[in-house]
Amino acid sequence: MKQIKAVSLISGGLDSMLATKAIMEQGIHVEGINFFTGFCVEGHTHAIRQKDKDKPKRNNSLWVAETLGIKLHIIDIIEEYKDVLINPKHGYGANMNPCLDCKVFMVKKAKQWMEENDFDFIITGEVMGQRPMSQRRETMPIISAESGADDRLVRPLCGQNLPATLPEREGWIQREQLFGFSGRGRKPQMALAEQYGLSDYSQPAGGCCFLTDESYSAKLVDLWKARGTKDYELDDVMLLKVGRHIRPNQNFKVIVAREDGEGRFLQGYKNNYINMNCASHRGPLALIDGDPSAEDLYLAAQIVARYGQGRDAEQVDVLVRDLAGNESTLEVKPLAKDKLPKEWFV
Amino acid sequence: MSRYELDARRLLCPMPVIRTQDRVKQLQIGDVLSVTCTDPGVMQDIPAWCRINGHKVLETQADDYQYIIMLEVGE
Ligand code: SF4
């Protein structure tokens, strides 16, 4: 008999790990697929920030694949994902998370991968009623239908509450060995993890990506508003995860590193952004995004000086590098705390 | 056996892993690929990716600003 093969959407969280394991237990060959949208919550934010240096920097999807002993294919969908985020047919969740469109898109990509690689069905870790809220009874058939995966999409954790899928009808997998989880509770998942002998798994609170994060979403909306268009590049998305973002005006914002790790990371963007740092005192590196005037740059330098050791000095030298790499020095008085309105902080 | 280099500097994980994966797909068993990165996360992620997919990490080097991982393509 032909070995039946399934491709499983691995987010790095517990649910997709359990769903994968449940199907492996039924003798199916499973390989994982993980999509990188640019917004995924990954170890790299820990890697950037110095203060988190002692925390493990593992990538959870790789960890899941290694723990389960399966292959993992990581796919860059940054470009294609833009359309999902910018024009979500089903709208956004609580923040800028277009979860339903995102799921449809990912399952559609997984289906394409399944066909190209001669696999038989798709697995997701969805559970009705779990966060993010795309996981509702009404949305399950939408995801199956709009992705085109139809009855080749199996949700092992709640499969018993759903109509039988093709793999069940064909006898590739046994329905009785699927589960009937529902609701927001995590106890059944944790019990199943224990049964499978899995520990040290990751349980991100908000969801699988930064778009469920309120402050991140606010920064993204601010970026779109300032540019007058809902567009972005990977660099934008990455920079929104790093530093203090201060916008005194629509035409520019200042991104100030909060500690050395972030400073090192921002160094990598020095050729693409006007940037500045204190020359007369120790202080952070800052990037200027947008199209600032000479006056704006002066204000930016005052802001940057405020975050350096010269914050109480009468005058601080700030070294400014323009996009061509030309250097000039601005002599400024650091901006007093009460001159930095709360509304400027994005 | 041939030697290849991949520049994955300035990319954040998992991009260096994705680039490594896509480059390795084009190589032959036994070829050696040296990947240069600036995200410290690669020191964990690329070896993990190699273990999962049957490739061998020959050597890793780290200094303050960059990380180099040399791997041999497996089956
Ligand atoms: S949390 Fe992010 S990655 Fe997960 S389904 Fe929602 S939009 Fe997609």
Side-chain angles (χ1 to χ4, degrees), chain A residues 36 44 59 66 70 74 268, chain B residues 10 13-14 21 45 51-52:
Chain A
F36 182 59
H44 62 240
N59 171 309
E66 191 173 10
I70 59 169
I74 310 179
Chain B
R10 282 198 53 217
C13 284
Q21 166 190 275
D45 291 359
R51 288 195 299 273
I52 293 170

Side-chain angles (χ1 to χ4, degrees), chain A residues 52-79:
Chain A
D52 293 328
K53 249 202 155 120
D54 298 335
K55 283 196 191 163
K57 297 177 191 78
R58 76 177 190 201
N59 171 309
N60 284 312
S61 8
L62 286 169
W63 178 81
V64 164
E66 191 173 10
T67 306
L68 297 178
I70 59 169
K71 283 196 173 178
L72 181 72
H73 310 274
I74 310 179
I75 313 229
D76 161 7
I77 53 164
I78 297 164
E79 276 307 310

Side-chain angles (χ1 to χ4, degrees), chain A residues 36 42 44 47-48 57-59 62 65-66 70-74 76 78 235 238 264-265 268-269 272, chain B residues 10-15 17-19 21-22 39-41 44-46 48-49 51-53 64-65 75:
Chain A
F36 182 59
E42 288 298 341
H44 62 240
I48 299 165
K57 297 177 191 78
R58 76 177 190 201
N59 171 309
L62 286 169
E66 191 173 10
I70 59 169
K71 283 196 173 178
L72 181 72
H73 310 274
I74 310 179
D76 161 7
I78 297 164
D235 280 355
M238 290 297 163
R264 245 204 308 265
F265 175 71
Y269 291 86
N272 310 60
Chain B
R10 282 198 53 217
L11 297 175
L12 289 179
C13 284
M15 283 312 290
V17 186
I18 298 177
R19 292 281 162 83
Q21 166 190 275
D22 294 348
D39 181 347
Q44 177 118 0
D45 291 359
I46 294 184
W49 177 83
R51 288 195 299 273
I52 293 170
N53 293 289
D64 265 0
Y65 291 96
E75 300 213 12

